[in-house]
Protein backbone atom coordinates (compact mmCIF):
# COMPACT_ATOMS: atom_id res chain seq x y z
CA UNK A 1 0.00 0.00 0.00
CA UNK A 2 2.88 2.35 0.82
CA UNK A 3 4.36 1.77 -2.63
CA UNK A 4 1.06 2.57 -4.31
CA UNK A 5 0.70 5.81 -2.35
CA UNK A 6 4.29 6.74 -3.17
CA UNK A 7 3.73 5.97 -6.87
CA UNK A 8 0.55 8.07 -6.97
CA UNK A 9 2.34 10.93 -5.19
CA UNK A 10 5.22 10.74 -7.65
CA UNK A 11 2.85 10.75 -10.66
CA UNK A 12 1.00 13.76 -9.25
CA UNK A 13 4.27 15.54 -8.58
CA UNK A 14 5.58 14.89 -12.09
CA UNK A 15 2.30 15.91 -13.73
CA UNK A 16 2.23 19.07 -11.61
CA UNK A 17 5.74 19.94 -12.80
CA UNK A 18 4.73 19.61 -16.44
CA UNK A 19 1.48 21.51 -15.89
CA UNK A 20 3.43 24.35 -14.30
CA UNK A 21 5.93 24.37 -17.13
CA UNK A 22 3.17 24.75 -19.73
CA UNK A 23 1.61 27.76 -17.96
CA UNK A 24 4.51 30.17 -17.64
CA UNK A 25 3.50 33.77 -17.08
CA UNK A 26 5.24 37.10 -17.23
CA UNK A 27 5.48 38.13 -13.58
CA UNK A 28 7.36 41.37 -14.21
CA UNK A 29 10.95 42.55 -14.07
CA UNK A 30 13.45 42.44 -11.25
CA UNK A 31 13.58 45.46 -8.97
CA UNK A 32 16.84 47.43 -9.14
CA UNK A 33 18.67 46.90 -5.85
CA UNK A 34 22.35 47.03 -4.92
CA UNK A 35 23.81 43.83 -3.45
CA UNK A 36 27.36 42.73 -2.66
CA UNK A 37 29.37 39.96 -4.28
CA UNK A 38 31.52 37.59 -2.20
CA UNK A 39 34.42 40.04 -2.39
CA UNK A 40 32.28 42.81 -0.86
CA UNK A 41 31.97 44.81 -4.09
CA UNK A 42 28.66 46.41 -5.02
CA UNK A 43 26.55 44.60 -7.59
CA UNK A 44 23.36 46.04 -9.07
CA UNK A 45 20.51 43.64 -9.84
CA UNK A 46 20.21 45.58 -13.11
CA UNK A 47 23.37 43.68 -14.10
CA UNK A 48 21.70 40.28 -13.75
CA UNK A 49 21.84 39.29 -17.39
CA UNK A 50 22.78 36.21 -19.42
CA UNK A 51 23.14 37.16 -23.10
CA UNK A 52 19.48 36.45 -23.84
CA UNK A 53 19.43 33.08 -22.06
CA UNK A 54 17.41 32.12 -18.96
CA UNK A 55 18.50 32.97 -15.42
CA UNK A 56 17.73 31.25 -12.13
CA UNK A 57 17.78 33.32 -8.93
CA UNK A 58 17.62 31.55 -5.60
CA UNK A 59 17.20 33.19 -2.21
CA UNK A 60 18.92 31.25 0.55
CA UNK A 61 20.61 31.53 3.96
CA UNK A 62 23.39 29.63 5.72
CA UNK A 63 20.99 28.66 8.51
CA UNK A 64 18.42 27.21 6.07
CA UNK A 65 18.91 23.44 5.75
CA UNK A 66 16.60 23.05 2.72
CA UNK A 67 18.55 25.85 1.01
CA UNK A 68 21.81 24.00 1.55
CA UNK A 69 20.34 20.77 0.17
CA UNK A 70 18.95 22.64 -2.84
CA UNK A 71 22.25 24.28 -3.71
CA UNK A 72 24.21 21.06 -3.19
CA UNK A 73 21.81 19.25 -5.55
CA UNK A 74 21.98 22.03 -8.13
CA UNK A 75 25.77 22.18 -7.90
CA UNK A 76 25.96 18.50 -8.87
CA UNK A 77 24.20 19.19 -12.20
CA UNK A 78 24.88 22.88 -12.73
CA UNK A 79 27.65 22.51 -15.31
CA UNK A 80 25.46 20.10 -17.30
CA UNK A 81 22.65 22.68 -17.19
CA UNK A 82 25.00 25.40 -18.43
CA UNK A 83 26.31 23.18 -21.23
CA UNK A 84 22.81 22.11 -22.28
CA UNK A 85 20.85 25.36 -21.95
CA UNK A 86 23.24 28.24 -21.21
CA UNK A 87 21.34 29.03 -17.99
CA UNK A 88 23.06 31.12 -15.32
CA UNK A 89 22.30 30.91 -11.61
CA UNK A 90 22.59 33.68 -9.04
CA UNK A 91 22.27 32.54 -5.43
CA UNK A 92 21.29 35.50 -3.23
CA UNK A 93 22.09 35.07 0.46
CA UNK A 94 19.69 36.79 2.83
CA UNK A 95 21.93 36.24 5.85
CA UNK A 96 21.82 39.34 8.05
CA UNK A 97 24.81 41.10 9.61
CA UNK A 98 25.01 38.47 12.38
CA UNK A 99 25.40 35.49 10.03
CA UNK A 100 26.75 37.11 6.85
CA UNK A 101 30.34 36.26 7.80
CA UNK A 102 29.47 32.57 7.23
CA UNK A 103 28.39 33.03 3.59
CA UNK A 104 31.79 33.07 1.86
CA UNK A 105 33.27 30.17 3.90
CA UNK A 106 30.11 28.14 3.25
CA UNK A 107 30.22 28.77 -0.51
CA UNK A 108 33.95 28.02 -0.70
CA UNK A 109 33.61 24.92 1.48
CA UNK A 110 30.76 23.56 -0.62
CA UNK A 111 32.51 24.40 -3.90
CA UNK A 112 29.40 25.94 -5.41
CA UNK A 113 30.14 26.99 -8.97
CA UNK A 114 27.41 29.58 -9.45
CA UNK A 115 27.40 33.30 -8.76
CA UNK A 116 26.68 34.17 -5.12
CA UNK A 117 25.47 37.58 -3.99
CA UNK A 118 24.66 38.95 -0.55
CA UNK A 119 21.54 40.88 0.46
CA UNK A 120 22.55 41.66 4.07
CA UNK A 121 19.98 44.45 4.49
CA UNK A 122 17.36 42.26 2.77
CA UNK A 123 16.36 45.08 0.42
CA UNK A 124 16.16 42.76 -2.61
CA UNK A 125 14.28 40.16 -0.57
CA UNK A 126 11.62 42.74 0.38
CA UNK A 127 11.46 44.30 -3.09
CA UNK A 128 10.72 40.96 -4.74
CA UNK A 129 8.40 39.74 -1.94
CA UNK A 130 10.42 36.81 -0.62
CA UNK A 131 9.17 35.74 2.79
CA UNK A 132 11.21 32.66 3.60
CA UNK A 133 14.01 30.82 1.86
CA UNK A 134 14.45 28.87 -0.23
CA UNK A 135 12.62 30.88 -2.87
CA UNK A 136 13.52 30.42 -6.53
CA UNK A 137 12.76 32.63 -9.53
CA UNK A 138 13.37 31.85 -13.18
CA UNK A 139 13.75 34.66 -15.71
CA UNK A 140 13.63 34.49 -19.47
CA UNK A 141 16.41 35.92 -21.62
CA UNK A 142 14.75 39.35 -21.60
CA UNK A 143 14.82 39.55 -17.82
CA UNK A 144 11.12 38.86 -17.26
CA UNK A 145 10.30 36.80 -14.18
CA UNK A 146 8.46 33.81 -15.61
CA UNK A 147 8.18 31.35 -12.74
CA UNK A 148 8.75 31.10 -9.00
CA UNK A 149 8.82 28.34 -6.42
CA UNK A 150 8.94 28.43 -2.61
CA UNK A 151 10.52 25.68 -0.53
CA UNK A 152 12.64 22.70 -1.49
CA UNK A 153 12.11 18.96 -1.57
CA UNK A 154 14.57 16.47 -3.03
CA UNK A 155 14.25 16.60 -6.80
CA UNK A 156 12.74 20.09 -7.07
CA UNK A 157 15.78 21.15 -9.06
CA UNK A 158 14.42 18.99 -11.91
CA UNK A 159 11.51 21.42 -12.17
CA UNK A 160 13.91 24.31 -12.58
CA UNK A 161 15.66 22.87 -15.61
CA UNK A 162 12.33 21.88 -17.16
CA UNK A 163 11.10 25.48 -16.82
CA UNK A 164 14.35 26.72 -18.38
CA UNK A 165 13.88 24.32 -21.31
CA UNK A 166 10.28 25.47 -21.76
CA UNK A 167 11.42 29.10 -21.88
CA UNK A 168 13.99 28.18 -24.52
CA UNK A 169 11.33 26.36 -26.59
CA UNK A 170 9.11 29.45 -26.48
CA UNK A 171 11.97 31.54 -27.81
CA UNK A 172 12.21 29.46 -31.01
Amino acid sequence: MKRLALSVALILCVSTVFCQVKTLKNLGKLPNVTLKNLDGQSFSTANIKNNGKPIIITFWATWCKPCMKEHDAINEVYQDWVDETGVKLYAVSIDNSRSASRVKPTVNGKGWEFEVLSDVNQDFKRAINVNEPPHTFILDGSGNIRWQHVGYMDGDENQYIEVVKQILKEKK
Side-chain angles (χ1 to χ4, degrees), residues 21-33:
V21 172
K22 291 178 186 173
T23 58
L24 297 177
K25 298 177 180 154
N26 186 344
L27 303 172
K29 296 275 189 184
L30 289 178
N32 190 2
V33 178

Side-chain angles (χ1 to χ4, degrees), residues 30-42:
L30 289 178
N32 190 2
V33 178
T34 300
L35 306 173
K36 299 279 184 186
N37 66 18
L38 286 181
D39 295 325
Q41 297 172 333
S42 293

Side-chain angles (χ1 to χ4, degrees), residues 5-167:
L6 184 58
S7 296
V8 169
L10 181 60
I11 290 168
L12 288 173
C13 178
V14 169
S15 65
T16 301
V17 168
F18 291 112
C19 289
Q20 285 179 330
V21 172
K22 291 178 186 173
T23 58
L24 297 177
K25 298 177 180 154
N26 186 344
L27 303 172
K29 296 275 189 184
L30 289 178
N32 190 2
V33 178
T34 300
L35 306 173
K36 299 279 184 186
N37 66 18
L38 286 181
D39 295 325
Q41 297 172 333
S42 293
F43 181 94
S44 171
T45 57
N47 293 324
I48 293 180
K49 295 185 171 105
N50 189 21
N51 297 321
K53 295 181 182 161
I55 299 164
I56 300 172
I57 299 175
T58 63
F59 285 81
W60 69 286
T62 56
W63 46 262
C64 170
K65 289 185 194 274
C67 299
M68 304 306 271
K69 285 180 72 173
E70 176 183 50
H71 286 136
D72 287 343
I74 289 171
N75 197 56
E76 287 181 21
V77 294
Y78 183 60
Q79 193 54 54
D80 292 335
W81 288 4
V82 171
D83 293 345
E84 186 178 346
T85 66
V87 71
K88 184 167 186 173
L89 188 140
Y90 291 87
V92 179
S93 165
I94 59 168
D95 283 272
N96 62 24
S97 59
R98 285 180 273 151
S99 59
S101 64
R102 294 191 296 242
V103 172
K104 189 172 183 175
T106 298
V107 171
N108 291 338
K110 296 277 192 179
W112 292 341
E113 298 180 12
F114 32 83
E115 185 86 26
V116 178
L117 302 169
S118 206
D119 186 21
V120 175
N121 296 328
Q122 301 186 354
D123 295 331
F124 192 30
K125 174 188 167 192
R126 280 190 299 280
I128 201 164
N129 294 318
V130 169
N131 292 316
E132 289 295 323
H135 194 136
T136 303
F137 294 87
I138 300 181
L139 287 64
D140 62 24
S142 299
N144 299 304
I145 301 169
R146 299 293 305 279
W147 186 85
Q148 64 179 312
H149 177 74
V150 179
Y152 178 76
M153 291 176 42
D154 290 341
D156 277 354
E157 67 278 3
N158 297 321
Q159 290 182 63
Y160 309 161
I161 194 61
E162 290 304 320
V163 171
V164 166
K165 288 176 182 177
Q166 180 66 30
I167 289 170

